[in-house]
Amino acid sequence: MDYTTHSMSHEQKPQSTTHVEHKKQTESSAQAHNKHTGHKTQDFLKKFWLVLILTIPILAYSELIEKAFGWNAPHFPGYQWAVLALGSVI
C-alpha cells in the first residue's frame, strides 16, 4: 500500500462545517423561507366559505346522506356530472 497516496486522499476531502456554521446557515435559511409570508386570514376565510357552500349540494346528492336520513334530493338528468364538477372545483 502506498501511504503517500492514502494521506493525499484525506487532505483532498472537503472539511465538514462546524456546528456554529451550520447553526448560522439554518437561522438565515429560516428567516428567508418564512412559511406564512404573504398569507392573509381574509383569503383563507373566503376560501373556507366558498368550499362550504359548494360542499352542501355534494353532500345532498351523496348516497350515504340519502340512506342515513331517508331524504332523497331531487334528481335531474346529469346530476352525477354536476356533483363531479363541484367536487373538482373544491
Side-chain angles (χ1 to χ4, degrees):
M1 178 175 200
D2 184 11
Y3 291 106
T4 56
T5 322
H6 180 74
S7 65
M8 287 177 140
S9 65
H10 283 290
E11 292 171 4
Q12 294 173 350
K13 288 184 181 178
Q15 296 295 323
S16 64
T17 58
T18 65
H19 179 69
V20 175
E21 290 172 351
H22 179 70
K23 188 175 179 182
K24 287 179 184 177
Q25 290 173 351
T26 306
E27 288 173 356
S28 66
S29 173
Q31 291 172 352
H33 299 289
N34 187 351
K35 294 189 298 187
H36 301 292
T37 302
H39 292 184
K40 295 184 179 156
T41 308
Q42 297 279 345
D43 294 337
F44 288 113
L45 193 58
K46 287 178 188 177
K47 290 177 184 179
F48 169 77
W49 288 115
L50 177 66
V51 168
L52 182 67
I53 290 168
L54 294 177
T55 302
I56 293 170
I58 293 172
L59 289 176
Y61 283 99
S62 72
E63 187 177 324
L64 180 68
I65 298 294
E66 288 180 355
K67 285 183 179 180
F69 297 108
W71 179 72
N72 290 327
H75 294 273
F76 56 90
Y79 77 92
Q80 298 97 341
W81 295 107
V83 170
L84 176 67
L86 289 174
S88 297
V89 169
I90 290 175

